[in-house]
Amino acid sequence: MPCLILALSCGAAETAAPKDAAAAFPLRLNVVFFTPADVTPPPGVVRRLTQVADYTEAFFAKWMQHWGYAAAREKIFDREANGDVRVLFVSGRSPRSSGKYDKGDAFESEMWYQAESKYHVGRHQHIWWYWIYLGEPPLRFNEFLGVGNVRAGGHALVNYPTAPGEIHTSDDLGIPALTGLALKGTIHELGHALGLPHMGPLAKADLGMPLMGPTVLNYRQRAGRNEERAYLAQAEAAMLWKHPLFTGTLEEREMLPKISVSDLQIESKDGGQTVWLQGTLQSDLPAHSLVVLDCVPREQEDYWQKPYVTRIEPGGRFAVQITEPSAKDGTLRLLFCFENGAITGDGKKYGIASALEKSYHASPHDYRW
């Protein structure tokens, strides 16, 4: 997803980058606030986006540490001297009525060009979080999206909400004030920009709504309860752990590991109540974890596929427990997480599109390929 470039105020949009910008870590999470040519930013943009940045940093840091994947670099946003997040204000060339800004893929390049012309931040390999403001409600940008990987960077596009209320880092993402701001959805899209795929909840974890899972409304409808809690899943933490944004190093960032997998086996235990997947990874770069997504047609697809994770031993051996196995046939999707931040299942592409897929047959007391 694109990075969000935040500016301090309308006037602040004309200021040059801070003098110490060149000395900062070169990979930037840019916060961009975009309006059509004839739309003026509403009051309080910088304050609101600073609250969002504070919450996002605290959320990631809390859960990554919780799962044993503590980030070496917890402060991922550029800040002004007073602590405000640095917002890049950008105006489009066309008016709102042109309809040009209804589809994100139609004007993402325009937003970047305008931001680069004004702020000289460069484009390649950064993370861009674009906040789109088309005017007061009911006007809104509806096409939330995000995409990215460790090598190319990423971008996310989200609507800027004007709903009232404050954002506190201790709040649950599902409380009314934050659902009114669609905060879970906006951070979800940033997750995509950082390379995370969709993944659903594990019932036994009982932690609420995973960040990369369904919307608050869809989760509540399926779960049958008014859930307010949200969390970063263990598999999500593993995938973010070595992203350069969280490590502060770009070492070997350009390298896509060459991999092969051998001795891949699936075994049922406890009368089919648990399933173990094991095998051996060979690669030219060290891997730290394996993420397995269990996908079952019409039950555990996309936002609801169940995520599992395990550490990879120094020799490449891995064994992961499927604690909530399906009673129906499905597919296990394997993604290996590497020390340089790369996530791949085939060594040819990045992310979920590269997953090594193994279809399985489930019977009451057995799992087999």
Side-chain angles (χ1 to χ4, degrees):
M1 300 184 167
C3 264
L4 178 59
I5 304 176
L6 309 174
L8 300 177
S9 67
C10 273
E14 302 301 331
T15 62
K19 292 181 180 179
D20 63 350
F25 183 53
L27 174 61
R28 319 302 287 273
L29 172 49
N30 298 308
V31 178
V32 180
F33 189 84
F34 179 85
T35 56
D38 58 346
V39 175
T40 302
V45 169
V46 172
R47 184 169 184 272
R48 169 65 78 209
L49 291 179
T50 296
Q51 290 181 339
V52 170
D54 291 345
Y55 190 99
T56 302
E57 286 179 338
F59 180 84
F60 283 140
K62 169 187 173 180
W63 286 106
M64 291 174 73
Q65 183 174 13
H66 173 86
W67 295 119
Y69 289 99
R73 183 175 184 260
E74 295 182 354
K75 302 300 182 182
I76 57 177
F77 289 92
D78 284 352
R79 303 279 181 158
E80 303 291 349
N82 65 355
D84 286 342
V85 71
R86 185 175 184 238
V87 181
L88 308 184
F89 282 92
V90 174
S91 179
R93 302 188 186 97
S94 304
R96 167 70 187 90
S97 59
S98 68
K100 181 179 180 180
Y101 306 118
D102 294 336
K103 293 286 186 180
D105 56 2
F107 67 97
E108 190 270 337
S109 60
E110 179 183 339
M111 289 190 291
W112 173 80
Y113 180 82
Q114 297 287 72
E116 169 59 15
S117 298
K118 184 178 289 187
Y119 299 98
H120 309 293
V121 291
R123 175 175 190 172
H124 298 294
Q125 299 181 309
H126 291 315
I127 312 298
W128 299 84
W129 203 1
Y130 295 104
W131 295 76
I132 317 302
Y133 177 72
L134 300 182
E136 285 298 302
L139 292 173
R140 62 172 282 124
F141 177 74
N142 289 312
E143 196 182 50
F144 279 44
L145 60 89
V147 64
N149 64 59
V150 67
R151 182 177 184 177
H155 63 270
L157 283 75
V158 299
N159 178 67
Y160 178 80
T162 56
E166 299 296 310
I167 299 174
H168 304 288
T169 57
S170 59
D171 290 339
D172 286 320
L173 275 173
I175 67 172
L178 300 193
T179 55
L181 295 169
L183 188 59
K184 180 177 181 292
T186 59
I187 302 176
H188 173 111
E189 298 304 333
L190 176 61
H192 283 316
L194 296 171
L196 296 181
H198 289 139
M199 56 184 77
L202 290 173
K204 293 180 181 178
D206 190 27
L207 293 170
M209 302 172 285
L211 178 68
M212 302 311 295
T215 65
V216 174
L217 177 60
N218 287 338
Y219 181 92
R220 288 174 176 172
Q221 288 176 338
R222 183 156 167 172
R225 63 178 184 273
N226 190 33
E227 182 62 77
E228 293 187 344
R229 300 169 302 156
Y231 67 102
L232 187 74
Q234 185 177 8
E236 296 164 4
M239 295 179 77
L240 292 178
W241 188 38
K242 295 300 181 177
H243 191 291
L245 196 66
F246 292 97
T247 62
T249 177
L250 298 174
E251 186 175 356
E252 297 183 324
R253 181 190 187 187
E254 300 290 332
M255 295 185 64
L256 178 61
K258 296 181 176 64
I259 72 172
S260 63
V261 179
S262 59
D263 304 323
L264 195 60
Q265 301 174 17
I266 190 170
E267 180 182 4
S268 270
K269 294 186 178 181
D270 306 321
Q273 296 302 304
T274 60
V275 174
W276 284 88
L277 173 72
Q278 57 186 349
T280 303
L281 170 71
Q282 295 89 29
S283 63
D284 59 348
L285 287 178
H288 62 81
S289 297
L290 165 66
V291 169
V292 177
L293 301 175
D294 188 5
C295 183
V296 178
R298 294 177 295 281
E299 288 190 4
Q300 294 171 199
E301 292 182 298
D302 201 17
Y303 295 94
W304 295 94
Q305 55 190 340
K306 291 184 179 290
Y308 303 93
V309 63
T310 189
R311 296 281 189 152
I312 296 176
E313 297 176 9
R317 288 293 298 172
F318 58 83
V320 59
Q321 185 180 14
I322 310 300
T323 57
E324 299 179 16
S326 169
K328 297 182 179 180
D329 297 354
T331 300
L332 299 181
R333 311 169 84 182
L334 281 64
L335 291 167
F336 298 97
C337 307
F338 288 84
E339 292 286 344
N340 71 336
I343 308 294
T344 184
D346 62 7
K348 299 176 182 178
K349 301 183 292 293
Y350 289 93
I352 193 65
S354 74
L356 171 60
E357 297 191 347
K358 292 291 292 183
S359 297
Y360 63 82
H361 173 69
S363 63
H365 302 292
D366 191 26
Y367 264 57
R368 56 183 173 80
W369 298 129

